[in-house]
Amino acid sequence: NNLNVFKKVRIGLILLVMFLISSTAWAVPTPSPVEYLDEKGETKTITNYIELTGDESPDDPMFKNGGWFVVKGEVTYDEALGNYLPFELQIDEDWNRLGPDVNLILADGAKLTAKNENSEMWFRNLAVYAQSTGENMGKFEVYAENSTAISVFNAFTVYGGSVKAVSENSDGISAGSVTVHGGIVDAAGTSSADYLGYGIYASDENVIVNGGSVSAAGFRGILGSGGIEINGGDVDATATGVSDEYNFSYAIGSWYDVNVNGGSLTVHAKDKSSYGVFVSGSVAHLNAGEVFADGEGSGIAARPSCSSSGVELAGATVTTNRYTYIDDLGPKSDFFVKVAVNVLYTDGEGNVFEGSIFKWDDL
């Protein structure tokens, strides 16, 4: 009987050890919760995410499927070394864009660097988050040689963190729409024989800045195809100059209205055919905040098309060297610059104006 009891105890112990070994082998570690700040500055937490480490296979489904990604520490992808960040736009046979939709969290002290020679990162939607707003917030830097640094088919949204996008032969950032709630965005594009080279280009909708700091430089610094809206933060845009192929550039411009409702806007244009703020068939509404516009062509320019185009100074403090009417399309409609009551306007030489500065009938 004692022998039987011993055998049973031994068998039980063996089964227990096997169970523990099996459980340990098949256990799936639960990711540590990661915090991030939303557009209101409120702290959110996520546990279902993928941590980017820099040694993933480019064929990993995550680069096509998208999801939530976290960067901790310094992570580098370098195409010259055979390791690039291969996010790729997914398109079905009916040309529907299926993904990837990527939410990227930059942990404090983290730095994600992508160096691309010929490959191009493509997203359907991309959102960037940080864990803090100070000097320790994470960084995302992309350097491209022969492609746009960051390409997004729909919406590119920055909630926080430091984002730098530099291209040697194309756009720094190109997206359907660009919205910045906070953080730092620094984009630089370079023109080539075949392409203009924008710092920031919103191909379908608006460029909206609600806060943070935005710097953009290129043959054309910032283009918002659907308009530009600055509600807060600091925006600095530069037109780097014209070329033999293209002789018309601007630091910030749109074919729809440009609205400055707060914050500060500083624009520079470095060529006689370059303009600081440019609107075509639309109006630059300078409602609040501070605007400094300098351009060798002029600080602020309007090109009337089939509707009135010009500048309304309705609350912003504006300093510029001159206003220009671009008549290469002919006098198709009214051009105006008017100053609202109690608004300070200086022409760059200390002269102060109010009321209607001029309109088309005055030219």
Side-chain angles (χ1 to χ4, degrees), residues 27-232:
V28 178
T30 301
S32 302
V34 169
E35 294 182 343
Y36 65 96
L37 301 177
D38 65 9
E39 70 274 13
K40 298 180 181 179
E42 297 179 354
T43 301
K44 305 292 184 181
T45 302
I46 187 171
T47 56
N48 185 17
Y49 62 84
I50 299 170
E51 182 178 346
L52 292 175
T53 60
D55 56 2
E56 302 90 353
S57 167
D59 298 323
D60 196 307
M62 69 181 183
F63 293 116
K64 296 180 179 180
N65 298 335
W68 285 84
F69 296 83
V70 174
V71 180
K72 303 175 182 178
E74 293 199 12
V75 179
T76 300
Y77 298 83
D78 190 339
E79 186 179 1
L81 301 178
N83 183 25
Y84 64 102
L85 195 57
F87 284 109
E88 180 183 353
L89 188 65
Q90 302 301 299
I91 305 174
D92 66 14
E93 62 275 8
D94 296 321
W95 291 97
N96 296 309
R97 275 71 179 179
L98 305 179
D101 294 335
V102 172
N103 296 283
L104 176 64
I105 300 175
L106 304 171
D108 280 346
K111 183 178 181 181
L112 172 62
T113 304
K115 300 178 181 179
N116 297 329
E117 290 184 326
N118 299 301
S119 62
E120 183 171 12
M121 285 188 297
W122 263 105
F123 307 85
R124 184 172 68 170
N125 294 286
L126 173 62
V128 180
Y129 299 85
Q131 293 183 322
S132 68
T133 59
E135 296 181 356
N136 199 37
M137 63 184 179
K139 300 178 180 179
F140 178 31
E141 298 185 357
V142 183
Y143 302 92
E145 292 187 15
N146 299 300
S147 64
T148 296
I150 298 177
S151 296
V152 185
F153 184 77
N154 289 328
F156 177 45
T157 309
V158 178
Y159 296 96
S162 175
V163 178
K164 185 173 185 177
V166 179
S167 174
E168 294 185 5
N169 292 289
S170 189
D171 302 330
I173 296 172
S174 177
S177 66
V178 177
T179 303
V180 179
H181 294 288
I184 300 172
V185 176
D186 184 2
T190 306
S191 61
S192 64
D194 301 318
Y195 195 74
L196 295 177
Y198 298 90
I200 297 176
Y201 175 37
S203 59
D204 300 318
E205 299 181 29
N206 296 24
V207 173
I208 300 175
V209 180
N210 294 320
S213 172
V214 176
S215 299
F219 176 82
R220 293 174 180 170
I222 300 175
L223 170 60
S225 295
I228 295 173
E229 184 176 323
I230 301 172
N231 300 311

Side-chain angles (χ1 to χ4, degrees), residues 313-330:
L313 305 174
T317 299
V318 180
T319 303
T320 185
N321 57 336
R322 71 179 65 88
Y323 293 105
T324 297
Y325 166 68
I326 301 174
D327 60 356
D328 60 337
L329 300 178

